[in-house]
Amino acid sequence: MMLTKEAESARERIANALSRVARMRDDGGRVLVDLPIMYPSGAMVVVEVEINRGKCFVSDMGSGLVEAEFAAAESFYAPAAKEAAEDFSVSFDGHSMFALWVPETATESAIICVANASCKAAAEAVRRAAEAKSKHRNEQIFERISTVFGPKNVAKEAEVTGRHAKWNAHNVIALPKGGRAVFEFMSKSPVSVSSKFLMFTDIREANPSFSLNAVVKSIDTLDDKAQMVGDVANIVSLNASDEDFIRYARAA
């Protein structure tokens, strides 16, 4: 089929765009491929590719582990990497994610699978680290408010029904006259902020009398997006006084 000049021009623009999305470069004799796959930090995935005698070797060069180390999640990386390697049918040696001497005709698949496995492992390690940190912080908050309000009045976890969903809320206080207050730890990570914003919004629509509180390590370090949680909940410092906790618990 003959293509019009406009169609040919469009295909050329698309080809040029794709060449910029993913690119190959030489690094001291190594062939590296930059890919449009993003780690949790925003860095792009880079893999090393070697082809020899009809076989190819692809490795993330340990970049997934480095990504986890940047987020203080390295202790969670190995289990996550083993699972990701199995999901994408590649290998993990404790440091790097790689595909070992696969047929040259499967080079594209090897590059995609190694890159995605590396990214998934890093993201899962960061998520597990964040969950562990959140659990520890919520335990601290529980001890704190149990002292202030009395252990009989505080539940470490409780199911709270929102307008659209049921939520596993932490540090739920039973107040006089049937009121309730929730004190959830929130880190400054986008995942934590967005999940708490969604949770508090849904609960507030169904329970306008509830006191909803996001407890943070430092209010001053929250960016503008994290401050938006203040539209649906109180933002409380982890180091707030007992009087502040009581005041926020009573403020719907």
Side-chain angles (χ1 to χ4, degrees):
M1 183 180 67
M2 295 293 294
L3 296 176
T4 65
K5 288 185 178 180
E6 183 179 358
E8 289 180 352
S9 178
R11 291 193 175 197
E12 184 177 350
R13 287 197 299 272
I14 293 171
N16 289 336
L18 287 175
S19 69
R20 292 190 295 271
V21 169
R23 68 188 183 97
M24 182 185 71
R25 54 189 170 91
D26 183 89
D27 181 42
R30 298 188 305 169
V31 176
L32 304 182
V33 179
D34 299 308
L35 295 159
I37 301 173
M38 190 178 294
Y39 285 120
S41 69
M44 308 305 287
V45 176
V46 180
V47 298
E48 178 183 6
V49 182
E50 179 183 344
I51 296 179
N52 187 17
R53 296 182 180 181
K55 301 288 185 180
C56 80
F57 169 76
V58 180
S59 170
D60 76 339
M61 305 171 291
S63 297
L65 175 57
V66 172
E67 179 75 14
E69 289 174 343
F70 281 149
E74 63 272 20
S75 60
F76 298 88
Y77 185 74
K82 291 176 182 177
E83 294 171 10
E86 184 175 350
D87 289 343
F88 287 94
S89 299
V90 296
S91 301
F92 174 67
D93 62 3
H95 177 262
S96 300
M97 200 76 69
F98 62 93
L100 181 62
W101 304 130
V102 300
E104 183 178 352
T105 54
T107 300
E108 299 91 334
S109 297
I111 290 173
I112 292 170
C113 288
V114 169
N116 278 293
S118 179
C119 183
K120 181 179 180 180
E124 181 62 16
V126 171
R127 185 191 67 80
R128 293 179 184 180
E131 283 188 349
K133 180 179 179 181
S134 180
K135 180 180 179 181
H136 174 68
R137 291 298 190 188
N138 274 319
E139 288 175 350
Q140 287 183 312
I141 296 167
F142 175 74
E143 295 297 329
R144 176 75 182 280
I145 63 176
S146 291
T147 301
V148 176
F149 295 93
K152 293 183 179 180
N153 298 315
V154 182
K156 183 174 287 189
E157 295 183 33
E159 185 177 82
V160 177
T161 302
R163 181 181 178 185
H164 302 286
K166 293 183 179 180
W167 302 87
N168 185 39
H170 296 86
N171 308 312
V172 181
I173 304 170
L175 299 171
K177 301 179 181 179
R180 299 175 88 181
V182 177
F183 286 88
E184 280 273 348
F185 175 73
M186 182 182 77
S187 73
K188 59 183 179 180
S189 76
V191 173
S192 179
V193 170
S194 60
S195 65
K196 293 300 178 283
F197 184 87
L198 183 64
M199 173 184 177
F200 288 142
T201 299
D202 191 46
I203 293 176
R204 180 165 295 283
E205 290 186 2
N207 308 277
S209 64
F210 278 23
S211 171
L212 303 176
N213 304 274
V215 184
V216 300
K217 185 177 180 180
S218 173
I219 296 176
D220 294 337
T221 61
L222 299 180
D223 60 20
D224 292 340
K225 292 182 179 178
Q227 295 283 357
M228 290 172 61
V229 173
D231 293 340
V232 294
N234 304 309
I235 300 179
V236 187
S237 171
L238 194 62
N239 296 321
S241 66
D242 291 350
E243 290 75 17
D244 283 335
F245 272 95
I246 294 171
R247 177 168 56 85
Y248 283 118
R250 293 173 179 173

